[in-house]
Amino acid sequence: MIRYALNRVALLIVGLLVASALIFLTLRVLPGDIAQLIAGTNSTPEQVAAISDRLGLDRPLPVQYIEWIGGLLRGDLGASLLTGTPVIDELVQKAQVTVPLGLMAMAVALVIALPFGVLAAVRRGRADGTALSVGAQTLAAVPVVWAGMMLVVVFAVWLGWLPAQGFPRGGWDDPARAFQSLLLPALTIGIVEGAMLMRFVRSATLQAVGQDYVRTAAAKGLTRNRALVRHGLPAVGLSIITVLGLQVAGIIVGAVVIEELFTLPGIGRMLVADVGNRDLIKVQSELLVLTGMVLIIGFLVDLFHRVVDPRQREAE
Amino acid sequence: MIRRSPLSRRASLAAAAVLAAGALLLTACAGNAEPGPTSTEVTADPSASVAIRLVLEPGNLDVRETAGAALDQILIDNIYQGLVSRTAEQEIVPALATDYEVSPDGLTYTFTLREGVTFHDGQELTPQDVVWSLTQVKQNPAYRDSARLANVQAIAAEGQTITLTLSAPDSTLLWSLTGRAGLILKEGDTIDRKTDANGTGPFVFSDWKQGDSITFERNEDYWGEKAQVAEVVFSYIPNTQAAINGALAGELDVLTGFDANLTDQLEANGDFAVVVGPSTDKGTLAMNSTRPPLDDVRVRQAIRQAIDKDAIVEALGAGRTQFGPIPSLDPGYEDLSDVAPFDPDAAKALLAEAGEEDLDLTLTIPASYGTTVTQILVSNLNDVGISLNVTTVEFGAWLNDVYINQDYELSFVLHTEARDFENWANPDYYFTYDNPEVQRLYAESVASTDEAEAEALLAEAARIVSEDMAADWLYNGASVVGVGTHITGMPSTNVNERLNLAELVEGSQ
């Protein structure tokens, strides 16, 4: 087990290194020079050169890369080329919007997916089960933007219950107001993700119904549904954790769209703006942090599985 | 400067276009920048906080080095001021100077500095601050608009009198002093200018939530008439639909950069009125005349005559046609619609004459501009036998490919800056337009000490540029602003460029 964990840690580190090099290089390939963007049109070449020199953009790429990685190892994510603000400060600030948004969205998704997914499996072949499946198919196909617009029109513009856009300027100083601001965006992501997750829960449950141990339990006198709940669902739960781990990346991508639509000052909008501004140091550090998060979550899910699921150890 | 903001979405309702045209007519009749959608008097609320939607957020707040209309728009007039300023009608008026005088030979500018002015940090404005600020801009080529002070030879102060001595007359100098080049900063200020601001204007910089909003507060120690609202919040919302939702839900008071086609949506519940004002935005179709077949003036003329400008203006829901490099708000404007009127048959004939009947051209356009204009271009050009490939790029890529490397055939961007004719007199500019006659006329206009003469020279040069088919001007954009009916004093002229909020009032009727 320890050997396995060490192996996985080594893989994680290699993964992060490869990711850092890829991120660094990809951003350098982007056309568009930050000094030129700062200087803008109607600028003289001297103006552009002066800015480039001040920002250290004319140094060789390997030097810039090593400097960046060196900073990272010392726990320094660097500073924005445009404003000089430490990247970590802004990441922490934006995470206060995006992390709660992601968690709320995931909660909404689970609340939808678990009961209805199991129900759809148990009631397979009957009218209500089919209706649930078709409903999930349809919802999962709904574009997030459209779903968001509909929710805004109904709950913000018509009913006036919830804010249509924005996040309180004081952040979480007023938790109720902050929570309200995230509710519609979280529902938007949560409903669509939940519908996708529900299809997964349904098929995982169906698979569990067919498993030997569920059938054995049923043969020992439990009703089929009770056997499923007691013996089948824990296995379903395990695979759902894996899927949820994978969904973290999906939720980050969803956040980019949703934060734009609801003008939430989160990580997604920050990334889009920073790429547009060619604030390279900032973008590369932000991307690496996000990549790191996804890799670490994958790592934790693997370890967790190993500990909880005996079949994996036996398989080795 | 070039505006990166979205152009607006496609026209779908003829009604919206008609409405917008009506609004345009109305403002044209009123002829001033004080439209206030309400006719009834409002009672001002001195503790009001007004939320204004803007489209483009600045990258940082450094007015000295960082380009972009996003900075001028909010910082000049509201936070930073110069000796002179410009009104919404583009007139030059005294600001930090109580008055000014230009010598008949155009070589000496004398300003009397206002007394009792303090910076936002409490320190008094001294004549030395003025000399220092202008000298800094002049001496540091890395600063924006440094070259605009090229003719200034000496900057001196005696008592409250500031004197600028020129080496040669410069009819553009006063105008330049109303912009970045003329801003007065505190000598040796130690604030971090990228994230903070210290000026003399009616508002004090208070807070910047990056990626979200910038907040100004009323300057209680302002030397002039104090601002009427306690706070202004600029919310940066690129998505127009999100902005409308915010307005309808009562979270925003003013929407700038509004899409005139969506007027009905915003005005539906009577809490908002859309105000359309003139602007110096020029939807410019640059044509790279260093490249065949665009080096043939007949081909360029054919392209111009193939494009239906009225259809573009109608699709945008606001704005007006423009047929030369100078928009109607700027000196030197002249109606040049006779130079290359819409005439597809003439265009076909010209192409046949040039032996270019089956032409493939590429248009490079920043992605933020949407598709309204490109759709019309593709269809118009297709009608005369030109197939247009549209390459949509990010603004950074546009700067690199088109602006710096001049590697393009056709390019579309919105040039927002007022009085920017100089680019047509600059052969190195990305327009690739090089005509010594135009350059000479422009230089003469700059050197002229007579305003009317300077204007006439500009007009003459502009006609040549248009007759040379140096580019095409698809439209002269409008300032489209959605204003809450509880708001008055919101500027409506050229708001992309400048947004003076000194007279903004929020109140109840």
Side-chain angles (χ1 to χ4, degrees):
Chain A
M1 176 71 200
I2 289 175
R3 241 188 82 167
Y4 173 79
L6 285 179
N7 267 336
R8 284 294 281 111
V9 171
L11 258 179
L12 183 65
I13 292 172
V14 172
L16 280 173
L17 265 178
V18 171
S20 74
L22 274 179
I23 289 169
F24 183 86
L25 286 175
T26 326
L27 287 178
R28 294 313 184 278
V29 171
L30 279 184
D33 171 9
I34 181 174
Q36 185 64 54
L37 269 173
I38 293 177
T41 54
N42 300 352
S43 59
T44 61
E46 294 86 58
Q47 283 169 336
V48 179
I51 292 168
S52 187
D53 182 54
R54 185 167 52 72
L55 297 177
L57 294 169
D58 35 14
R59 291 171 308 160
L61 285 190
V63 174
Q64 294 189 37
Y65 177 71
I66 287 167
E67 214 161 76
W68 175 51
I69 293 291
L72 290 179
L73 291 177
R74 292 191 304 274
D76 175 11
L77 291 180
S80 159
L81 288 175
L82 282 172
T83 61
T85 328
V87 175
I88 184 76
D89 291 3
E90 226 193 308
L91 255 178
V92 168
Q93 207 204 347
K94 304 296 190 222
Q96 290 171 15
V97 174
T98 306
V99 171
L101 172 65
L103 291 176
M104 282 167 72
M106 216 175 247
V108 172
L110 282 176
V111 165
I112 294 172
L114 287 182
F116 290 117
V118 171
L119 204 63
V122 172
R123 310 286 292 178
R124 182 165 74 132
R126 309 192 192 184
D128 48 354
T130 310
L132 277 173
S133 298
V134 172
Q137 289 281 18
T138 317
L139 269 183
V142 166
V144 179
V145 175
W146 188 80
M149 298 267 278
M150 289 300 107
L151 287 175
V152 167
V153 166
V154 174
F155 291 102
V157 177
W158 287 354
L159 298 171
W161 291 351
L162 291 167
Q165 51 85 41
F167 194 68
R169 267 187 296 142
W172 289 92
D173 294 350
D174 181 354
R177 172 81 176 75
F179 181 78
Q180 284 178 359
S181 302
L182 293 184
L183 211 51
L184 283 185
L187 275 173
T188 309
I189 307 180
I191 288 174
V192 176
E193 291 276 323
M196 286 193 242
L197 194 60
M198 178 180 150
R199 289 156 64 203
F200 177 80
V201 171
R202 177 177 175 274
S203 64
T205 311
L206 280 177
Q207 219 180 357
V209 174
Q211 291 291 334
D212 290 346
Y213 54 85
V214 176
R215 256 185 276 153
T216 313
K220 281 183 181 164
L222 284 177
T223 64
R224 198 183 66 120
N225 283 353
R226 298 195 81 184
L228 178 68
V229 169
R230 195 167 300 167
H231 300 280
L233 289 190
V236 175
L238 262 185
S239 39
I240 286 174
I241 285 173
T242 315
V243 173
L244 279 183
L246 292 175
Q247 267 193 321
V248 170
I251 284 184
I252 291 172
V253 174
V256 174
V257 177
I258 281 304
E259 288 177 0
E260 201 71 44
L261 183 65
F262 287 92
T263 52
L264 294 170
I267 291 174
R269 261 184 90 194
M270 173 178 71
L271 263 178
V272 173
D274 291 343
V275 172
N277 288 333
R278 294 287 183 274
D279 198 339
L280 298 181
I281 306 256
K282 218 168 142 213
V283 181
Q284 70 200 25
S285 288
E286 287 159 359
L287 284 179
L288 193 63
V289 168
L290 291 181
T291 316
M293 262 172 51
V294 173
L295 288 178
I296 287 168
I297 287 170
F299 167 73
L300 292 178
V301 167
D302 276 5
L303 278 194
F304 176 79
H305 262 229
R306 217 45 221 172
V307 174
V308 176
D309 190 351
R311 284 170 305 182
Q312 275 205 23
R313 265 168 304 187
E314 283 156 19
E316 232 167 69
Chain B
M1 276 162 237
I2 288 166
R3 180 105 180 142
R4 289 153 67 189
S5 78
L7 246 199
S8 68
R9 294 166 20 166
R10 189 158 157 64
S12 51
L13 293 169
V18 172
L19 249 173
L24 186 63
L25 266 175
L26 274 176
T27 44
C29 296
N32 68 34
E34 205 67 40
T38 50
S39 50
T40 41
E41 279 297 308
V42 292
T43 323
D45 173 5
S47 61
S49 168
V50 175
I52 300 177
R53 176 262 183 152
L54 299 182
V55 177
L56 194 68
E57 186 176 7
N60 70 57
L61 303 181
D62 188 349
V63 280
R64 289 237 151 136
E65 277 197 4
T66 306
L71 276 185
D72 301 58
Q73 191 182 32
I74 61 168
L75 290 180
I76 303 181
D77 293 336
N78 295 318
I79 300 277
Y80 292 118
Q81 298 178 305
L83 292 168
V84 283
S85 182
R86 52 179 105 144
T87 64
E89 292 78 30
Q90 315 290 299
E91 267 173 86
I92 296 168
V93 289
L96 288 179
T98 50
D99 55 73
Y100 62 88
E101 211 181 323
V102 185
S103 67
D105 63 1
L107 292 178
T108 313
Y109 286 65
T110 322
F111 301 86
T112 309
L113 185 62
R114 199 176 285 280
E115 297 197 50
V117 177
T118 52
F119 285 101
H120 296 153
D121 65 0
Q123 196 158 317
E124 202 168 324
L125 167 75
T126 67
Q128 183 50 34
D129 290 318
V130 178
V131 174
W132 178 82
S133 295
L134 299 180
T135 309
Q136 286 274 303
V137 175
K138 171 161 176 58
Q139 287 180 348
N140 196 335
Y143 286 170
R144 300 292 311 162
D145 293 350
S146 174
R148 292 188 187 275
L149 303 186
N151 287 342
V152 177
Q153 207 167 34
I155 304 158
E158 203 187 306
Q160 292 295 108
T161 307
I162 315 279
T163 311
L164 304 192
T165 316
L166 276 61
S167 53
D170 184 347
S171 64
T172 64
L173 180 67
L174 270 180
W175 177 263
S176 299
L177 289 177
T178 67
R180 298 260 193 129
L183 297 183
I184 307 304
L185 278 57
K186 191 177 99 171
E187 180 173 8
D189 207 343
T190 51
I191 59 160
D192 180 359
R193 218 168 270 133
K194 291 195 179 71
T195 52
D196 201 356
N198 180 26
T200 55
F203 288 94
V204 178
F205 171 77
S206 139
D207 182 35
W208 181 16
K209 289 245 174 304
Q210 277 173 45
D212 186 47
S213 61
I214 290 178
T215 307
F216 291 172
E217 280 165 14
R218 170 169 50 221
N219 177 5
E220 300 293 354
D221 300 319
Y222 186 54
W223 55 265
E225 205 168 313
K226 288 189 185 52
Q228 309 228 41
V229 294
E231 187 184 67
V232 177
V233 181
F234 301 107
S235 280
Y236 290 97
I237 306 178
N239 184 315
T240 301
Q241 194 56 48
I244 294 177
N245 292 339
L248 294 180
E251 292 151 21
L252 296 167
D253 302 300
V254 174
L255 309 183
T256 71
F258 190 68
D259 181 343
N261 289 311
L262 303 175
T263 298
D264 284 356
Q265 233 189 87
L266 188 67
E267 288 185 337
N269 66 2
D271 292 339
F272 276 83
V274 173
V275 181
V276 183
S279 92
T280 54
D281 293 4
K282 301 161 286 286
T284 308
L285 182 74
M287 302 195 259
N288 189 345
S289 51
T290 61
R291 258 195 205 192
L294 293 166
D295 54 354
D296 187 332
V297 66
R298 291 169 299 189
V299 174
R300 299 202 299 274
Q301 181 174 351
I303 291 173
R304 288 188 73 184
Q305 297 208 270
I307 300 169
D308 184 357
K309 311 301 185 323
D310 289 321
I312 292 178
V313 170
E314 195 182 329
L316 292 173
R320 48 187 288 174
T321 52
Q322 178 182 335
F323 295 89
I326 297 180
S328 58
L329 275 180
D330 283 350
Y333 168 76
E334 198 186 345
D335 182 356
L336 296 172
S337 52
D338 57 319
V339 175
F342 174 53
D343 186 345
D345 294 329
K348 275 186 228 167
L350 279 163
L351 287 173
E353 199 187 311
E356 299 285 359
E357 277 148 315
D358 263 321
L359 210 48
D360 263 307
L361 289 173
T362 302
L363 170 74
T364 311
I365 179 172
S368 53
Y369 288 122
T371 55
T372 310
V373 168
T374 43
Q375 280 170 0
I376 295 175
L377 289 182
V378 168
S379 127
N380 279 175
L381 292 180
N382 190 49
D383 289 345
V384 298
I386 300 175
S387 30
L388 190 65
N389 310 305
V390 180
T391 309
T392 311
V393 297
E394 226 199 324
F395 190 71
W398 180 88
L399 268 180
N400 195 60
D401 298 347
V402 179
Y403 183 75
I404 301 175
N405 295 330
Q406 301 179 359
D407 179 16
Y408 73 101
E409 289 182 334
L410 301 173
S411 156
F412 175 84
V413 288
L414 199 60
H415 285 261
T416 62
E417 200 167 63
R419 307 197 183 187
D420 59 356
F421 183 81
E422 60 185 350
N423 293 329
W424 298 103
N426 173 7
D428 296 328
Y429 201 67
Y430 85 94
F431 292 151
T432 69
Y433 176 64
D434 185 359
N435 184 329
E437 174 73 0
V438 167
Q439 290 151 26
R440 185 183 62 78
L441 286 168
Y442 179 68
E444 268 177 36
S445 164
V446 169
S448 167
T449 54
D450 180 83
E451 213 176 301
E453 187 194 47
E455 271 196 44
L457 287 163
L458 276 180
E460 197 184 337
R463 180 171 277 279
I464 298 175
V465 173
S466 185
E467 282 169 353
D468 278 346
M469 312 292 156
D472 199 15
W473 298 273
L474 304 182
Y475 62 93
N476 172 202
S479 281
V480 185
V481 187
V483 187
T485 46
H486 57 297
I487 301 283
T488 49
M490 177 67 198
S492 66
T493 300
N494 223 18
V495 295
N496 283 349
E497 180 87 354
R498 288 286 185 95
L499 202 49
N500 185 337
L501 299 174
E503 285 168 18
L504 193 68
V505 177
E506 175 177 336
S508 47
Q509 286 170 37

